[in-house]
Amino acid sequence: MIREEKKFTFRREEMVKKQLEARGINDNRVLEAFRKVPRHLFVNEAFIDKAYIDSPLPIGNNQTISQPYIVAEMTQELELTGEDKVLEIGTGSGYQAAILAEIVEKVYTIERIHPLYIKTRSLFDKLKYHNILTRYSDGTSGYRDEGPFDAIIITAGSPKIPEPLINQLAIGGRLIIPVGSKDTQELIKVYKDESGIHKTNLGKCRFVQLIGEHAWKSPKKT
Ligand code: SAM
């Protein structure tokens, strides 16, 4: 068991050096979070040995845990201060939410697939992530009654930026979302000030679909 842990600690350090620092991730709070969060506990058992590779992995229900670098890039671009109130749409494995929970005081996260929601909620409890609040619903409508949020991260690809999420973003807030077709998207960063929203394109990416009232329509009920 102890040997197991050492193996994973070593792999995490390698991931941080070779996949993150080498590609320009330099926010120490982000790097520290990646050193801490046991990614191998967020993947399906069959993939434990691959947990730290430079790639997304399946998590069941046709969904994925994102590649470590994209999680790091999106987290860094949120420009978190530690006191921010953060909303994530697309809980999935819970890995992104756990990374956020190491950096800020409170994370709100929404998942639309019930088995993933249940499984991840119990993992958060087991790992004592008491600062992560979970909700089972369509995240394209946001987390009603809890906004505004200083940062919003959407971890699935959408044809457009859902209007309710822009409304729930605080003045001075940052939002990151993959926007594009069902197959390929551009990672868009939104900054909101008194005059409105300002967008920056961070480059190409590829995510599973954001399905809901303000994004792609559901082919069938999941
Ligand atoms: N952040 C996740 C992680 O760390 O594992 C990545 C999850 S995966 C790339 C995207 C997730 O978004 C899936 O679990 C999917 O079910 C979820 N999703 C898609 N549309 C959604 C919606 N409208 N509301 C909430 N979750 C949604």
Side-chain angles (χ1 to χ4, degrees):
M1 186 64 191
I2 290 172
R3 227 184 305 141
E4 283 268 274
E5 266 316 309
K6 269 194 181 160
K7 172 176 87 178
F8 290 126
T9 311
F10 176 77
R11 287 184 189 173
R12 268 201 297 286
E13 196 53 50
E14 288 283 291
M15 169 188 75
V16 167
K17 271 195 209 131
K18 294 182 180 162
Q19 299 176 37
L20 310 187
E21 287 181 316
R23 291 182 185 143
I25 303 297
N26 55 14
D27 182 328
N28 274 329
R29 278 169 301 192
V30 176
L31 295 170
E32 266 317 298
F34 274 80
R35 285 194 181 95
K36 261 176 129 176
V37 178
R39 184 171 163 95
H40 59 282
L41 300 182
F42 290 81
V43 303
N44 286 358
E45 248 180 85
F47 292 98
I48 281 191
D49 242 26
K50 292 201 165 103
Y52 295 95
I53 67 172
D54 190 12
S55 166
L57 292 169
I59 55 170
N61 295 88
N62 290 323
Q63 304 302 320
T64 53
I65 175 173
S66 302
Q67 174 198 25
Y69 174 74
I70 190 87
V71 178
E73 184 191 17
M74 290 170 86
T75 308
Q76 179 161 281
E77 290 292 347
L78 288 177
E79 300 172 46
L80 301 172
T81 63
E83 282 161 19
D84 293 315
K85 194 170 169 183
V86 182
L87 172 64
E88 179 198 28
I89 311 303
T91 315
S93 70
Y95 182 67
Q96 172 76 74
I99 292 286
L100 293 167
E102 294 289 346
I103 301 172
V104 301
E105 277 173 23
K106 225 178 207 180
V107 177
Y108 298 78
T109 182
I110 307 178
E111 175 55 54
R112 69 175 282 277
I113 297 181
H114 198 254
L116 288 178
Y117 162 76
I118 294 292
K119 187 176 172 198
T120 304
R121 176 68 261 168
S122 85
L123 181 63
F124 290 150
D125 291 341
K126 191 173 140 203
L127 299 179
K128 301 197 172 22
Y129 277 113
H130 301 309
N131 61 338
I132 302 179
L133 283 90
T134 56
R135 188 172 275 184
Y136 165 57
S137 70
D138 171 10
T140 66
S141 296
Y143 205 112
R144 287 197 199 95
D145 309 327
E146 287 295 345
F149 297 94
D150 304 298
I152 300 180
I153 176 169
I154 297 97
T155 64
S158 178
K160 59 178 185 194
I161 307 173
E163 198 64 34
L165 298 181
I166 292 178
N167 295 338
Q168 289 177 31
L169 189 63
I171 299 292
R174 293 81 55 204
L175 177 150
I176 309 276
I177 181 169
V179 178
S181 72
K182 288 182 178 173
D183 296 323
T184 164
Q185 306 90 32
E186 312 276 345
L187 195 57
I188 304 297
K189 176 172 179 174
V190 174
Y191 177 74
K192 184 172 175 180
D193 65 16
E194 286 83 358
S195 69
I197 61 165
H198 310 275
K199 298 181 202 169
T200 313
N201 188 335
L202 302 175
K204 287 206 180 309
C205 59
R206 197 182 156 94
F207 277 83
V208 295
Q209 292 166 35
L210 182 72
I211 296 174
E213 193 185 340
H214 302 276
W216 298 108
K217 299 296 163 234
S218 174
K220 59 178 170 53
K221 189 143 177 55
T222 313

